[in-house]
Structures are given as C-alpha cells and as structure tokens.
Amino acid sequence: MADIVEAKGLVKRYGKVVALDGLDLTVPQGTVLGLLGPNGAGKTTLVSILATLLQPDEGTANVAGFDVCNDPEEVRKRIGLSGQFAAVDEHLTGFENLDMVGRLYRKGRKASRDRARELLEVFDLAEAGDRTAKTYSGGMRRRLDLAGALVAEPPVLFLDEPTSGLDPRSRTGLWGVIRDLVARGTTLLLTTQYLEEADQLADDVVVIDHGHAIAHGTPAELKTSVGGERIEVTVRETGDLPSAQTILTGFASGEISIDEQRGTLIAPIAGGVPTLTKALHEFEASKIDLFDVGLRRPTLDDVFLTLTGHVAEEAVSEEADGQKSEEMAG
Amino acid sequence: MNSLAVAFADTTVIAKRNLIKIKRVPEILVFVLLSPIMFVLLFAFVFGNAIDIRGLNYREFLIAGVFTQTVMFGATFTAAGLAEDMQKGIISRFRALPMSRAAVLAGRTVSDIAYNLLSLVIMALTGLAVGWTIRTSFGEAIAGFALLLLFSYAISWVMASIGLAVPSVEVVNNAVFMVLFPLTFLANTFVPSNDLPGGLREFAEWSPVSTVTQAVRELFGNVPANAPEPPSWALDHAILYTLIWIAVIIAIFAPLSVRQYKRLQRA
C-alpha cells in the first residue's frame, strides 16, 4: 500500500528546546498509526507540522501527495484535525459549530446543514445539537471537535490525544466511533499517552521520546518486548510460596520471578482474565491463602523502562505540548 | 470561486460567528455601553465647569473627543477576541481548514465595527441628553459617524497584530491600555491642543487622534465660532489627513497581521 503520510528528518526547535530531532515516519493508506509518548515527547509538534500549522526547521513531509510546506492549501483540503484540546466555539451551538466548519470547507448552505445534522446524529449529539457548546460535558466537546474534523470526510485524519482527560466510559465510546471511521477507509494518525489506546486502535505503533522515534512495531510486538501481561500473587504465608509457584508454572508463558520477602510471585501469562480465573480456582482448591492478587498489563511506563531504561518523565515542557497538557490538567 | 470571492465568503462566516457571541453573552455589552456613558457624564460634569472653551459650551466640544476615545478603546475587542480564540485553540482549527488566510482577521475586524456602532449610538444619545447638538446637516452627521467607524476599523488592524503577538487576553488589556491612554489624552480630545506645553503641543497637532476629533467636530458643527486658524496643516485638512492615516494604517497592518497569522508558532 502507498504511504499517504510520509515524514523525513523532521526537526523543530523552540528556542533551545528541541521538540523534534530528525523524526522519520510513514503511514500506509487505510491504516492506523499510533504515536506513543509522554508529554513533551514531540507528539503535538509532529501533528501540527503534518496539519500545516507549523513549519519544520528541517526535513520534509508529504500528506495525501502534497508537500506540507509548499502546498499547504492542498493538504488542508484532504485532512481533518482534532486536538487534545477541544477547539469548539462554546458560544455557538453544536449545530452552528459544524455548520460553520462546513461553510468554511465551501459546502453550500444546504449541504453544510445536512452534514452538520448527520454528524450530530452519528456522534450522539442530536439532542444537544441546539444547545451552546458551553453546556456540554468534556466527552461531548471532544465528540463535537472530532465531528468538526470529519465535516469534509477527509481521507487523512490526525487525532492528537483524542481521549486524554476523559472518563473511561466516554473513552470507550470515542474508541467505537474511531473504529467505525477506520473501517470506512480513513487513514489515521493518532497520538496517545496510553499503551492500551494504541493497542485498541492502532495497526502500528511508533514510540517517541525527546523528539526521536525509539521503537516501531505492532502493538503485539511492543507488548511482547516489554513482557506482555502478567499475574501478580502475594501469599499470606511464605511457606506457601513453593506450591503457589507450582500452580503458576501451569499458566506461565515465561519465567516466574519470586520476591521471598514480600511473598510475591510474578508470572507472565497469555489469555488475560480467564487465565487468572482458572489460576484462582487452583489456589482455592489447594487452600493457599492469598493476601493480594492482580492481573497487570504493560503500561507506557513499562515500555519506556524497557526501551530507554528510564521511566516516562515529563520532558522539559516544549511550548506546544507543555502548555496544552497543563491546561488539560487544570 | 476566485480567491477574493473565497476571502469574502469566509470573512462573512467568521463575522457572523463573532456576532452570535454578542447575542449569547449580552453581559459583554453592558461594559461596552456603560463606559462611554460614564466618560460623557464624568467629563461633562467634573471638568465641564473647569475647562473654558472660548466661544463654545464645553460639553459640545467634549463629545467628539469622547467619541474618538471610545472607538479607539472599542477596537481593543479585536485584540482580545483574537487572543481568546488562540488560547482556546479555535485559531488552530481555522488554520487547519482550507479557508482564506485573511478571513479570521477580516471577520474579526468587521464584526468589531458592530460593537463600535452600538457604543456610538449610546454615546450620541447620552451626549444629546447633556447638551450636545449637531449643528450641521443629516448627511454631514452621518459622515462624521462613518469617519469614526473607519478610524476604529483601521485601529482594529493594529489590534489584530497585537492580539496575535501576545500570549493571553490579560496581557492584551494591559498592553493596549499603556498605548491608547496617552494617545487619546495627548490630543485635542478633552482640551484644545494649543493649551498644551511645547513638544506635546506639536505632537497633538499632528496626531491622527486630534485630526479625527477635529474632523468630527467640523462635521457635527461643534467648532467654536471664533476659533483661531488651525495651527497645523493636519488640523487644517483634518478629514483628508485622517483618511490618509486610515489608508496607511490598513495598508501596513492588514498584510502584517495576515503574515503573523500564517506564521503562528503555536500549535
């Protein structure tokens, strides 16, 4: 498949801070690329360059066949952008927001209105469509912002941390919407701080840190590289450790590590909750008294720890990423 | 569509969006409308008795000055509105759309004329209530108001440039106050410029703030009957000189702020 997004050697500096440090990236048409990294890693800067909002200091980027620096107008006709920071006008209603965007895409009056109503329906905002966006919850604003990015049905979509700051229910809902879009052939570049989100949505993942790509692979490959999911069991009596180990050996997909002092066993497994349930039945049958038990999935921190040897730290806030994440937190 | 038609269509969409805000947040209007009323009343009743304009009632002299000051401060809305849109990320959305690069700014400056028109109407009514009179024809009076709006429109483009350059709405208000306050007082707005000390006097005689005020006084017929010959060419040709300033300000600041918009470094 042809690459619909292609970036080569992108460099962007803000004063002394290097936000992007020679980043290369490709997204084949019709696929989803997850860009995973902590705050300040350069994710927003990259998306901004691809969406023609910023000019790179060095390097080139092509989106949908056009150079972002030389033909920004052509690029803009073919992309949709939704930021981590919902860019909706709170004094306009949901409908007015979308209609305005439609008119700015040169849709006629009727086509623009019809599209606005259609999108409100799709994003479950039909009832709230004639209320001002000021009255919307965080999740509703995000959906409206995403709807705004889809007004012109762009072939390429950039979503910058679409779910950060959302509660789990809104997050799951938004994932469903994004999956539908992708199923209809949209190419998506998605930035996220959550490994789980990349796992849910992306075909490929690029991990970035301090403006560099430090790893590239499918979510499964990444998870394998950091050890995948595991069961953590703490027994009440350390005397039970050997028999507990025997039970876990039956489920483990790799070496079991033992912390004798805490009475904790960590076993890499496959199969998630069903495997955990089976293991718990055996513990019960063997009358082993457990103090604590849990299923752990690798997080961004684990990925970083494995890839870089350090945990994902908040980088010295680069202008774009830093400002926005602070406001999100506020 | 050619690019001019596109720019015009997009500007209309943005201006409409800005005007909806007036409808949705009418509280903003309270301040837009109260401050000119306050200025008219304060100057008329506090300074009115102390300042003596030979051959004319001070209140009649004063109104044109308050008009000028108010439309200049009214233009601040352009800077504040743009700074707010940037803070909220809406500008980023617009910049990623295939729309005219001038439309967000043009739409803002155009919609801010509405604020100024509204405050002019309120001020004119307040002025009439405290003894201001228009002594010329209807057509000349309309020309006076039109000149004020054109002047504020030009200032709006300066404000657009400021709004795109500063980091937040709060900074806009402080920055603008520092510049506009001295400008509106170092002129013939509240006292005749020939009463000012040397240096300041020359500045005031050539300041476009003075000439727009002088032009408006002429168009409303509020120039003292026995006033001395205007001391500068600028004041003698107040309307022409003001129009030249308006053209020059727009010719410089419209392209400058569009350039700033294109090159914004904030994502």
Side-chain angles (χ1 to χ4, degrees):
Chain A
M1 261 180 297
D3 292 329
I4 196 163
V5 178
E6 191 178 18
K8 273 194 199 131
L10 289 181
V11 174
K12 182 72 188 176
R13 302 179 197 91
Y14 295 100
K16 281 184 185 159
V17 181
V18 182
L20 292 180
D21 193 5
L23 192 81
D24 297 323
L25 184 111
T26 55
V27 189
Q29 187 157 11
T31 67
V32 180
L33 179 73
L35 199 64
L36 187 64
N39 277 333
K43 303 188 299 290
T44 298
T45 303
L46 175 71
V47 168
S48 302
I49 288 174
L50 295 176
T52 77
L53 297 181
L54 283 180
Q55 301 256 318
D57 294 324
E58 287 168 38
T60 58
N62 256 276
V63 175
F66 293 92
D67 186 286
V68 295
C69 297
N70 301 332
D71 279 317
E73 193 65 20
E74 294 301 318
V75 172
R76 288 178 201 125
K77 286 178 187 165
R78 292 161 177 82
I79 60 166
L81 169 68
S82 174
Q84 49 177 307
F85 180 26
V88 300
D89 187 329
E90 59 182 16
H91 301 298
L92 300 188
T93 64
F95 173 77
E96 285 165 343
N97 264 290
L98 297 177
D99 184 39
M100 172 177 75
V101 174
R103 298 309 299 267
L104 293 173
Y105 270 115
R106 312 264 104 65
K107 280 181 183 288
R109 178 184 296 264
K110 182 165 187 314
S112 173
R113 289 183 174 183
D114 290 349
R115 180 68 178 150
R117 289 289 174 208
E118 184 188 339
L119 283 166
L120 288 171
E121 199 72 47
V122 170
F123 284 86
D124 201 16
L125 292 168
E127 271 177 46
D130 293 317
R131 292 206 321 251
T132 57
K134 201 176 192 146
T135 65
Y136 286 15
S137 68
M140 290 163 80
R141 282 182 195 219
R142 284 307 173 87
R143 294 207 299 277
L144 182 61
D145 188 48
L146 181 54
L150 300 174
V151 166
E153 301 178 67
V156 183
L157 191 59
F158 299 116
L159 300 182
D160 189 15
E161 302 200 9
T163 66
S164 63
L166 290 188
D167 60 74
R169 209 182 123 198
S170 312
R171 174 170 300 168
T172 317
L174 207 53
W175 283 350
V177 174
I178 293 171
R179 275 198 205 95
D180 287 346
L181 284 171
V182 173
R184 273 179 273 145
T186 307
T187 305
L188 171 63
L189 192 152
L190 161 99
T191 79
T192 180
Q193 296 189 47
Y194 310 113
L195 187 60
E196 194 195 354
E197 185 159 283
D199 190 22
Q200 289 280 335
L201 300 172
D203 300 310
D204 265 311
V205 174
V206 168
V207 183
I208 69 169
D209 185 29
H210 297 296
H212 288 288
I214 57 172
H216 181 201
T218 64
E221 284 165 355
L222 268 182
K223 279 198 292 183
T224 312
S225 80
V226 297
E229 54 188 1
R230 51 202 180 272
I231 293 178
E232 240 183 76
V233 173
T234 306
V235 295
R236 213 172 271 283
E237 308 291 336
T238 44
D240 284 334
L241 273 175
S243 42
Q245 188 181 359
T246 315
I247 292 172
L248 282 179
T249 311
F251 300 97
S253 57
E255 204 175 315
I256 298 171
S257 59
I258 304 170
D259 181 340
E260 304 228 4
Q261 296 247 290
R262 289 172 55 217
T264 301
L265 295 152
I266 299 173
I269 57 145
V273 174
T275 307
L276 176 67
T277 314
K278 280 183 214 151
L280 283 178
H281 280 304
E282 293 202 18
F283 282 118
E284 209 180 333
S286 311
K287 300 212 171 0
I288 294 175
D289 193 10
L290 297 182
F291 175 68
D292 191 19
V293 66
L295 183 66
R296 280 207 61 198
R297 292 198 171 84
T299 62
L300 178 63
D301 281 338
D302 298 321
V303 174
F304 265 76
L305 200 57
T306 311
L307 292 171
T308 66
H310 66 81
V311 291
E313 66 208 46
E314 298 255 330
V316 185
S317 78
E318 107 195 23
E319 195 156 329
D321 273 8
Q323 271 190 1
K324 288 189 175 177
S325 57
E326 276 164 31
E327 290 182 44
M328 279 308 305
Chain B
M1 274 202 277
N2 67 38
S3 62
L4 202 64
V6 165
F8 186 77
D10 290 350
T11 299
T12 313
V13 173
I14 298 293
K16 191 177 144 198
R17 169 236 167 193
N18 296 339
L19 291 177
I20 289 177
K21 186 177 174 184
I22 304 185
K23 198 168 78 182
R24 300 277 155 79
V25 198
E27 301 90 284
I28 297 172
L29 285 182
V30 175
F31 295 99
V32 175
L33 303 181
L34 276 184
S35 67
I37 294 177
M38 192 183 72
F39 264 101
V40 170
L41 297 180
L42 281 178
F43 275 92
F45 291 104
V46 177
F47 295 123
N49 301 322
I51 300 171
D52 180 34
I53 311 289
R54 288 164 296 273
L56 190 74
N57 175 348
Y58 178 66
R59 289 177 195 169
E60 210 173 314
F61 174 85
L62 163 77
I63 289 294
V66 179
F67 280 174
T68 304
Q69 188 194 39
T70 304
V71 297
M72 284 180 76
F73 276 99
T76 322
F77 271 105
T78 303
L82 283 173
E84 190 188 347
D85 282 351
M86 271 206 294
Q87 246 174 346
K88 297 201 168 162
I90 296 170
I91 294 277
S92 294
R93 152 127 304 155
F94 289 141
R95 289 181 71 234
L97 291 177
M99 60 186 284
S100 156
R101 301 285 97 184
V104 170
L105 306 176
R108 173 60 66 181
T109 53
V110 167
S111 60
D112 287 344
I113 293 178
Y115 279 101
N116 272 322
L117 181 61
L118 216 57
S119 59
L120 275 180
V121 169
I122 297 294
M123 274 190 297
L125 294 175
T126 317
L128 290 171
V130 298
W132 172 57
T133 348
I134 298 175
R135 298 179 189 280
T136 50
S137 67
F138 179 75
E140 280 168 295
I142 293 296
F145 286 116
L147 189 69
L148 283 167
L149 288 176
L150 256 183
F151 186 68
S152 82
Y153 184 71
I155 305 285
S156 272
W157 279 104
V158 181
M159 294 298 162
S161 181
I162 295 175
L164 290 174
V166 297
S168 76
V169 183
E170 293 73 25
V171 179
V172 166
N173 289 332
N174 291 330
V176 161
F177 192 77
M178 291 286 294
V179 177
L180 285 192
F181 216 72
L183 272 184
T184 54
F185 275 83
L186 287 177
N188 62 358
T189 38
F190 306 113
V191 293
S193 55
N194 42 353
D195 294 350
L196 293 169
L200 293 185
R201 180 178 163 173
E202 283 72 31
F203 180 86
E205 282 168 358
W206 288 89
S207 161
V209 180
S210 294
T211 61
V212 71
T213 311
Q214 173 74 18
V216 168
R217 282 189 187 126
E218 286 171 12
L219 288 166
F220 292 148
N222 298 143
V223 180
N226 56 349
E229 275 297 296
S232 70
W233 183 89
L235 284 171
D236 200 19
H237 302 82
I239 297 177
L240 176 66
Y241 183 80
T242 304
L243 287 172
I244 293 172
W245 264 93
I246 290 170
V248 169
I249 290 174
I250 295 177
I252 293 173
F253 283 93
L256 176 71
S257 36
V258 171
R259 205 174 109 112
Q260 283 173 278
Y261 176 86
K262 282 183 186 167
R263 297 187 178 186
L264 278 176
Q265 281 293 302
R266 271 184 275 178

